[in-house]
Amino acid sequence: FLATEHQHARYNPLRDDWVLVSAHRVKRPWQGQLEKPPPEDVPRWDPNNPLCPGATRANGEVNPQYEGTFVFPNDFPALQPDAPEPGDSDHPLFRAAAARGGCKVMCFHPWSDLTLPLMSLAEIRAVIDTWAELAAELGASYPWVQIFENKGAMMGCSNPHPHCQVWASSFLPNEACLEDRTQRQHLSQHGVPMLLEYAEQEACRKERLVVENADWLVVVPYWATWPYQTLLLPRRHVCRLQDLCESERDSLASIMQRLLIKYDNLFEVSFPYSMGWHGAPMGPYLEEDCGHWQLHAHYYPPLLRSATVRKFMVGYEMLAQAQRDLTPEQAAERLRSLPEVHYK
Protein backbone atom coordinates (compact mmCIF):
# COMPACT_ATOMS: atom_id res chain seq x y z
CA PHE A 1 0.00 0.00 0.00
CA LEU A 2 1.27 3.45 -0.99
CA ALA A 3 -0.77 6.38 0.31
CA THR A 4 0.34 8.46 -2.68
CA GLU A 5 -0.91 5.87 -5.19
CA HIS A 6 -3.80 3.97 -3.59
CA GLN A 7 -7.07 5.53 -2.55
CA HIS A 8 -8.04 5.13 1.09
CA ALA A 9 -10.25 6.73 3.73
CA ARG A 10 -8.98 8.58 6.81
CA TYR A 11 -10.92 9.17 10.01
CA ASN A 12 -11.33 12.66 11.44
CA PRO A 13 -11.83 12.25 15.21
CA LEU A 14 -12.60 15.93 15.66
CA ARG A 15 -15.63 15.78 13.35
CA ASP A 16 -16.38 12.05 13.68
CA ASP A 17 -16.40 11.58 9.92
CA TRP A 18 -14.20 10.32 7.10
CA VAL A 19 -12.37 11.78 4.11
CA LEU A 20 -11.52 9.90 0.90
CA VAL A 21 -7.88 10.36 -0.16
CA SER A 22 -7.30 9.81 -3.90
CA ALA A 23 -3.83 11.25 -4.45
CA HIS A 24 -3.46 9.79 -7.94
CA ARG A 25 -6.24 12.11 -9.17
CA VAL A 26 -4.01 15.17 -9.04
CA LYS A 27 -2.28 13.81 -12.16
CA ARG A 28 -5.39 14.21 -14.31
CA PRO A 29 -5.42 17.04 -16.89
CA TRP A 30 -7.46 20.14 -16.03
CA GLN A 31 -9.60 21.97 -18.57
CA GLY A 32 -12.08 23.41 -16.11
CA GLN A 33 -12.54 26.82 -14.56
CA LEU A 34 -9.51 29.05 -14.03
CA GLU A 35 -9.70 31.70 -11.32
CA LYS A 36 -8.46 35.24 -11.76
CA PRO A 37 -5.41 36.00 -9.61
CA PRO A 38 -6.08 38.70 -7.01
CA PRO A 39 -5.22 42.26 -8.07
CA GLU A 40 -1.70 43.43 -7.27
CA ASP A 41 -2.54 47.15 -7.42
CA VAL A 42 -4.81 47.59 -4.39
CA PRO A 43 -4.66 51.26 -3.33
CA ARG A 44 -3.37 51.88 0.18
CA TRP A 45 -6.34 54.18 0.88
CA ASP A 46 -9.61 54.43 -1.02
CA PRO A 47 -12.45 56.73 0.11
CA ASN A 48 -14.93 54.28 -1.45
CA ASN A 49 -13.64 51.34 0.59
CA PRO A 50 -15.86 51.29 3.72
CA LEU A 51 -13.09 49.71 5.82
CA CYS A 52 -10.56 52.51 5.30
CA PRO A 53 -9.86 55.21 7.90
CA GLY A 54 -12.07 58.23 7.30
CA ALA A 55 -14.34 56.39 4.83
CA THR A 56 -18.12 56.57 5.07
CA ARG A 57 -19.84 53.21 5.61
CA ALA A 58 -23.20 52.07 4.23
CA ASN A 59 -25.07 53.32 7.30
CA GLY A 60 -23.62 56.81 6.96
CA GLU A 61 -21.13 56.51 9.80
CA VAL A 62 -17.61 57.79 9.19
CA ASN A 63 -14.67 55.66 10.35
CA PRO A 64 -12.15 57.33 12.63
CA GLN A 65 -8.59 57.91 11.44
CA TYR A 66 -7.49 54.71 13.14
CA GLU A 67 -3.83 53.73 13.17
CA GLY A 68 -3.93 50.17 14.55
CA THR A 69 -6.79 47.72 14.87
CA PHE A 70 -10.34 49.05 14.56
CA VAL A 71 -13.54 47.27 15.63
CA PHE A 72 -17.07 48.34 14.73
CA PRO A 73 -20.55 46.73 14.61
CA ASN A 74 -21.28 44.96 11.33
CA ASP A 75 -23.59 47.17 9.28
CA PHE A 76 -25.36 44.06 7.92
CA PRO A 77 -25.32 41.64 10.88
CA ALA A 78 -26.42 38.04 10.51
CA LEU A 79 -27.26 37.99 14.24
CA GLN A 80 -28.97 40.71 16.26
CA PRO A 81 -29.48 40.78 20.04
CA ASP A 82 -33.20 41.52 20.07
CA ALA A 83 -34.67 39.10 17.51
CA PRO A 84 -38.11 37.78 18.59
CA GLU A 85 -38.78 34.14 19.45
CA PRO A 86 -40.18 32.04 16.59
CA GLY A 87 -43.59 30.55 17.24
CA ASP A 88 -44.15 27.01 18.44
CA SER A 89 -43.87 24.31 15.81
CA ASP A 90 -46.95 22.34 14.81
CA HIS A 91 -44.85 19.36 13.66
CA PRO A 92 -41.47 17.88 14.65
CA LEU A 93 -40.23 18.13 11.05
CA PHE A 94 -40.71 21.91 11.09
CA ARG A 95 -38.80 23.13 14.11
CA ALA A 96 -37.36 26.61 14.69
CA ALA A 97 -35.40 28.05 17.58
CA ALA A 98 -34.35 31.47 18.80
CA ALA A 99 -31.08 32.81 17.36
CA ARG A 100 -29.70 36.00 18.87
CA GLY A 101 -26.28 37.56 18.97
CA GLY A 102 -24.07 40.28 17.62
CA CYS A 103 -21.62 40.73 14.74
CA LYS A 104 -18.53 42.89 14.61
CA VAL A 105 -15.96 43.72 11.95
CA MET A 106 -12.32 44.06 12.95
CA CYS A 107 -9.78 45.81 10.74
CA PHE A 108 -6.21 44.60 11.26
CA HIS A 109 -4.44 47.66 9.85
CA PRO A 110 -5.31 51.04 8.27
CA TRP A 111 -3.62 50.16 4.93
CA SER A 112 -5.65 48.27 2.34
CA ASP A 113 -2.60 46.97 0.47
CA LEU A 114 -1.40 44.90 3.43
CA THR A 115 -2.32 41.39 4.53
CA LEU A 116 -1.27 39.57 7.70
CA PRO A 117 1.90 37.98 6.23
CA LEU A 118 3.08 41.45 5.16
CA MET A 119 2.48 43.02 8.57
CA SER A 120 5.12 43.32 11.30
CA LEU A 121 5.20 41.00 14.30
CA ALA A 122 4.11 43.87 16.56
CA GLU A 123 1.12 44.56 14.29
CA ILE A 124 0.13 40.87 14.23
CA ARG A 125 0.49 40.75 18.02
CA ALA A 126 -1.94 43.69 18.25
CA VAL A 127 -4.43 41.68 16.17
CA ILE A 128 -4.09 38.72 18.56
CA ASP A 129 -4.63 40.97 21.59
CA THR A 130 -7.77 42.44 20.04
CA TRP A 131 -9.05 38.94 19.24
CA ALA A 132 -8.57 37.96 22.88
CA GLU A 133 -10.29 41.13 24.11
CA LEU A 134 -13.30 40.53 21.86
CA ALA A 135 -13.52 36.88 22.89
CA ALA A 136 -13.56 37.88 26.57
CA GLU A 137 -15.96 40.79 26.06
CA LEU A 138 -18.54 38.95 23.96
CA GLY A 139 -17.97 35.65 25.75
CA ALA A 140 -19.12 37.22 29.01
CA SER A 141 -22.66 37.10 27.58
CA TYR A 142 -22.70 34.67 24.68
CA PRO A 143 -21.90 30.92 24.63
CA TRP A 144 -20.04 31.06 21.31
CA VAL A 145 -17.77 33.69 19.80
CA GLN A 146 -16.64 32.86 16.28
CA ILE A 147 -13.61 34.79 15.07
CA PHE A 148 -13.03 34.19 11.36
CA GLU A 149 -11.18 35.70 8.42
CA ASN A 150 -12.19 35.26 4.78
CA LYS A 151 -9.11 36.26 2.81
CA GLY A 152 -9.43 36.99 -0.89
CA ALA A 153 -12.31 37.45 -3.31
CA MET A 154 -12.29 33.68 -3.98
CA MET A 155 -13.41 33.17 -0.37
CA GLY A 156 -16.16 35.77 -0.50
CA CYS A 157 -14.21 38.77 0.77
CA SER A 158 -15.93 41.83 -0.72
CA ASN A 159 -13.51 44.52 0.49
CA PRO A 160 -9.74 44.45 -0.22
CA HIS A 161 -8.61 45.41 3.25
CA PRO A 162 -7.02 43.31 6.04
CA HIS A 163 -9.90 42.43 8.34
CA CYS A 164 -11.93 39.66 9.97
CA GLN A 165 -15.36 39.20 11.47
CA VAL A 166 -16.51 38.21 14.95
CA TRP A 167 -19.96 36.70 15.39
CA ALA A 168 -21.30 35.98 18.87
CA SER A 169 -24.34 33.72 19.23
CA SER A 170 -26.82 32.71 21.91
CA PHE A 171 -26.39 29.07 20.84
CA LEU A 172 -23.56 26.66 20.03
CA PRO A 173 -23.30 26.34 16.22
CA ASN A 174 -23.09 22.94 14.55
CA GLU A 175 -19.29 22.74 14.36
CA ALA A 176 -18.94 23.82 17.98
CA CYS A 177 -21.45 21.18 19.13
CA LEU A 178 -19.64 18.52 17.14
CA GLU A 179 -16.19 19.40 18.47
CA ASP A 180 -17.57 19.67 22.00
CA ARG A 181 -18.96 16.14 21.78
CA THR A 182 -15.90 14.51 20.20
CA GLN A 183 -13.40 16.20 22.53
CA ARG A 184 -15.49 15.38 25.59
CA GLN A 185 -15.73 11.75 24.49
CA HIS A 186 -11.98 11.50 23.85
CA LEU A 187 -11.08 12.87 27.28
CA SER A 188 -13.54 10.48 28.91
CA GLN A 189 -12.13 7.47 27.05
CA HIS A 190 -8.40 8.31 27.01
CA GLY A 191 -7.87 10.68 29.94
CA VAL A 192 -6.15 13.38 27.87
CA PRO A 193 -7.56 16.21 25.69
CA MET A 194 -7.73 15.03 22.08
CA LEU A 195 -5.86 17.91 20.44
CA LEU A 196 -3.20 18.04 23.16
CA GLU A 197 -2.43 14.39 22.48
CA TYR A 198 -2.65 14.96 18.74
CA ALA A 199 -0.16 17.86 18.87
CA GLU A 200 2.29 15.70 20.83
CA GLN A 201 1.96 12.90 18.28
CA GLU A 202 2.45 15.19 15.29
CA ALA A 203 5.46 16.88 16.94
CA CYS A 204 7.10 13.46 17.20
CA ARG A 205 6.10 12.10 13.79
CA LYS A 206 7.12 15.27 11.84
CA GLU A 207 5.71 14.07 8.48
CA ARG A 208 2.77 16.52 8.50
CA LEU A 209 4.56 19.34 10.35
CA VAL A 210 4.75 22.68 8.53
CA VAL A 211 6.21 25.09 11.12
CA GLU A 212 6.77 24.98 14.87
CA ASN A 213 8.20 26.97 17.76
CA ALA A 214 8.40 26.59 21.53
CA ASP A 215 4.66 27.19 22.09
CA TRP A 216 2.90 26.30 18.83
CA LEU A 217 2.91 23.97 15.86
CA VAL A 218 1.16 23.99 12.51
CA VAL A 219 0.34 20.74 10.72
CA VAL A 220 -1.57 19.61 7.68
CA PRO A 221 -3.88 17.38 9.73
CA TYR A 222 -3.91 13.65 9.03
CA TRP A 223 -7.60 14.01 8.12
CA ALA A 224 -7.32 17.26 6.10
CA THR A 225 -10.05 17.85 3.53
CA TRP A 226 -8.82 20.92 1.62
CA PRO A 227 -5.54 20.54 -0.32
CA TYR A 228 -3.35 22.79 1.85
CA GLN A 229 -5.54 22.88 4.96
CA THR A 230 -3.65 23.44 8.21
CA LEU A 231 -4.33 23.22 11.92
CA LEU A 232 -2.63 25.61 14.37
CA LEU A 233 -2.20 24.10 17.84
CA PRO A 234 -0.70 25.20 21.17
CA ARG A 235 1.70 22.79 22.87
CA ARG A 236 0.26 23.32 26.34
CA HIS A 237 -3.31 22.75 27.42
CA VAL A 238 -5.19 26.03 26.92
CA CYS A 239 -8.92 26.40 26.41
CA ARG A 240 -9.48 29.95 25.13
CA LEU A 241 -7.67 32.76 23.33
CA GLN A 242 -7.85 35.05 26.33
CA ASP A 243 -6.00 32.42 28.40
CA LEU A 244 -2.78 32.85 26.39
CA CYS A 245 0.12 34.42 28.30
CA GLU A 246 2.26 37.24 26.93
CA SER A 247 5.03 35.01 25.55
CA GLU A 248 2.50 32.68 23.89
CA ARG A 249 0.91 35.66 22.13
CA ASP A 250 4.31 36.76 20.86
CA SER A 251 5.15 33.28 19.59
CA LEU A 252 1.67 33.00 18.04
CA ALA A 253 2.32 36.18 16.04
CA SER A 254 5.59 34.67 14.84
CA ILE A 255 4.18 31.30 13.78
CA MET A 256 1.18 32.90 12.05
CA GLN A 257 3.52 35.13 10.06
CA ARG A 258 5.71 32.17 9.08
CA LEU A 259 2.72 30.05 7.98
CA LEU A 260 1.09 32.83 5.99
CA ILE A 261 4.33 33.73 4.23
CA LYS A 262 4.65 30.08 3.18
CA TYR A 263 1.05 30.14 1.93
CA ASP A 264 1.76 33.22 -0.22
CA ASN A 265 5.03 31.71 -1.47
CA LEU A 266 3.35 28.45 -2.56
CA PHE A 267 1.93 29.94 -5.76
CA GLU A 268 3.43 33.44 -5.40
CA VAL A 269 0.04 35.01 -4.88
CA SER A 270 -1.87 36.53 -1.98
CA PHE A 271 -3.15 33.15 -0.80
CA PRO A 272 -6.93 32.92 -0.23
CA TYR A 273 -8.37 31.04 2.73
CA SER A 274 -11.05 30.96 5.38
CA MET A 275 -9.67 30.62 8.88
CA GLY A 276 -11.18 30.68 12.33
CA TRP A 277 -10.54 30.05 16.00
CA HIS A 278 -12.25 27.31 18.00
CA GLY A 279 -12.04 27.27 21.77
CA ALA A 280 -14.10 26.32 24.78
CA PRO A 281 -17.63 27.79 24.88
CA MET A 282 -18.20 30.80 27.08
CA GLY A 283 -21.18 32.60 28.58
CA PRO A 284 -22.82 30.08 30.95
CA TYR A 285 -20.07 27.54 30.12
CA LEU A 286 -17.50 29.69 31.93
CA GLU A 287 -18.84 28.17 35.15
CA GLU A 288 -18.44 24.61 33.85
CA ASP A 289 -15.44 22.32 33.44
CA CYS A 290 -14.39 22.63 29.79
CA GLY A 291 -11.08 20.82 30.19
CA HIS A 292 -11.85 18.56 27.23
CA TRP A 293 -11.39 21.57 24.93
CA GLN A 294 -8.10 22.65 23.37
CA LEU A 295 -7.78 26.01 21.63
CA HIS A 296 -6.98 25.72 17.91
CA ALA A 297 -7.30 27.53 14.58
CA HIS A 298 -8.39 26.02 11.28
CA TYR A 299 -7.09 27.30 7.92
CA TYR A 300 -9.09 26.22 4.87
CA PRO A 301 -7.48 27.37 1.57
CA PRO A 302 -9.17 26.36 -1.71
CA LEU A 303 -6.23 26.42 -4.15
CA LEU A 304 -5.07 23.04 -5.46
CA ARG A 305 -2.64 23.17 -8.41
CA SER A 306 -1.83 26.84 -8.95
CA ALA A 307 -3.01 30.38 -8.25
CA THR A 308 -5.80 29.82 -10.78
CA VAL A 309 -6.92 26.21 -10.16
CA ARG A 310 -8.97 25.56 -7.06
CA LYS A 311 -10.44 22.49 -5.41
CA PHE A 312 -14.20 22.24 -5.92
CA MET A 313 -16.30 20.58 -3.23
CA VAL A 314 -19.11 19.36 -5.45
CA GLY A 315 -20.72 16.13 -6.63
CA TYR A 316 -19.32 13.30 -4.54
CA GLU A 317 -18.21 15.72 -1.80
CA MET A 318 -21.69 17.21 -1.47
CA LEU A 319 -23.60 13.96 -1.87
CA ALA A 320 -21.33 11.39 -0.23
CA GLN A 321 -18.22 12.52 1.69
CA ALA A 322 -15.20 14.78 1.45
CA GLN A 323 -12.44 13.79 -1.00
CA ARG A 324 -8.92 15.17 -1.49
CA ASP A 325 -6.49 14.96 -4.41
CA LEU A 326 -3.09 14.76 -2.72
CA THR A 327 -2.05 13.29 0.60
CA PRO A 328 -1.70 15.51 3.66
CA GLU A 329 1.93 14.40 3.85
CA GLN A 330 2.58 15.64 0.31
CA ALA A 331 0.95 18.96 1.10
CA ALA A 332 2.92 19.35 4.33
CA GLU A 333 6.23 18.53 2.64
CA ARG A 334 5.60 21.14 -0.04
CA LEU A 335 4.65 23.84 2.49
CA ARG A 336 7.51 22.90 4.82
CA SER A 337 10.10 23.26 2.04
CA LEU A 338 9.00 26.79 1.09
CA PRO A 339 11.10 29.78 2.19
CA GLU A 340 9.98 31.98 5.10
CA VAL A 341 10.93 35.20 3.36
CA HIS A 342 7.96 36.62 1.44
CA TYR A 343 8.31 36.47 -2.32
CA LYS A 344 7.52 40.18 -2.55
Side-chain angles (χ1 to χ4, degrees):
F1 171 80
L2 292 174
T4 56
E5 296 294 332
H6 303 122
Q7 69 270 13
H8 60 285
R10 296 193 184 192
Y11 180 63
N12 181 346
L14 194 57
R15 299 197 75 259
D16 190 23
D17 63 10
W18 293 79
V19 58
L20 175 63
V21 182
S22 311
H24 55 283
R25 275 172 52 85
V26 81
K27 300 174 184 176
R28 73 192 193 280
W30 179 261
Q31 296 180 339
Q33 178 172 319
L34 298 179
E35 308 294 335
K36 291 182 179 179
E40 295 284 343
D41 57 346
V42 175
R44 180 156 290 182
W45 184 83
D46 180 356
N48 297 315
N49 186 332
L51 300 183
C52 283
T56 301
R57 303 203 308 272
N59 62 359
E61 291 192 22
V62 178
N63 294 335
Q65 295 292 340
Y66 66 91
E67 297 181 351
T69 60
F70 169 53
V71 179
F72 62 92
N74 194 314
D75 297 330
F76 302 97
L79 291 161
Q80 296 176 319
D82 53 358
E85 293 267 357
D88 292 337
S89 171
D90 62 355
H91 192 281
L93 293 178
F94 301 92
R95 295 165 60 190
R100 299 186 179 95
C103 300
K104 294 182 181 290
V105 176
M106 173 187 160
C107 295
F108 298 155
H109 196 281
W111 295 356
S112 293
D113 57 343
L114 285 188
T115 55
L116 279 171
L118 296 173
M119 289 165 53
S120 70
L121 287 176
E123 290 166 340
I124 299 172
R125 167 65 197 265
V127 169
I128 293 165
D129 287 339
T130 306
W131 280 342
E133 290 168 11
L134 286 169
E137 172 194 332
L138 295 168
S141 306
Y142 291 106
W144 191 254
V145 179
Q146 185 59 65
I147 297 167
F148 64 97
E149 178 193 4
N150 295 326
K151 179 170 179 272
M154 195 183 298
M155 299 309 292
C157 180
S158 56
N159 293 298
H161 193 91
H163 72 286
C164 73
Q165 297 188 56
V166 184
W167 292 13
S169 61
S170 61
F171 55 91
L172 290 188
N174 294 344
E175 293 296 311
C177 286
L178 189 53
E179 289 193 4
D180 185 71
R181 174 176 64 80
T182 57
Q183 290 180 97
R184 188 185 299 275
Q185 186 176 17
H186 187 93
L187 180 65
S188 173
Q189 292 179 349
H190 303 281
V192 60
M194 177 198 295
L195 292 181
L196 184 64
E197 181 178 11
Y198 180 67
E200 292 171 350
Q201 286 288 320
E202 290 287 34
C204 293
R205 294 171 187 250
K206 304 288 187 187
E207 59 188 330
R208 283 170 295 275
L209 195 64
V210 178
V211 287
E212 63 177 330
N213 61 27
D215 301 312
W216 301 88
L217 67 157
V218 176
V219 301
V220 177
Y222 176 78
W223 53 79
T225 298
W226 293 93
Y228 292 97
Q229 175 180 334
T230 55
L231 184 62
L232 171 56
L233 295 161
R235 292 184 186 271
R236 79 168 175 99
H237 186 205
V238 55
C239 291
R240 302 177 177 94
L241 263 174
Q242 57 267 43
D243 298 336
L244 296 174
C245 68
E246 293 292 314
S247 62
E248 287 169 331
R249 296 183 187 201
D250 285 338
S251 57
L252 175 56
S254 172
I255 204 163
M256 283 175 55
Q257 185 188 63
R258 293 169 63 197
L259 169 65
L260 298 180
I261 286 174
K262 283 179 178 289
Y263 268 162
D264 280 9
N265 286 345
L266 178 61
F267 298 129
E268 293 195 349
V269 70
S270 184
F271 204 69
Y273 58 74
S274 281
M275 71 80 65
W277 285 98
H278 283 173
M282 292 176 273
Y285 294 88
L286 291 170
E287 305 300 320
E288 298 183 10
D289 180 6
C290 290
H292 54 292
W293 271 90
Q294 174 75 328
L295 177 70
H296 58 282
H298 297 282
Y299 285 84
Y300 298 130
L303 293 179
L304 172 60
R305 298 170 182 234
S306 69
T308 60
V309 178
R310 68 183 298 178
K311 166 69 176 178
F312 287 92
M313 292 291 183
V314 295
Y316 187 86
E317 291 90 349
M318 296 177 78
L319 295 163
Q321 70 180 30
Q323 179 269 334
R324 62 178 291 117
D325 298 313
L326 74 167
T327 68
E329 295 76 28
Q330 289 173 316
E333 182 180 12
R334 188 162 183 192
L335 289 172
R336 189 167 55 242
S337 65
L338 291 166
E340 294 185 10
V341 176
H342 200 278
Y343 74 93
K344 284 189 173 182

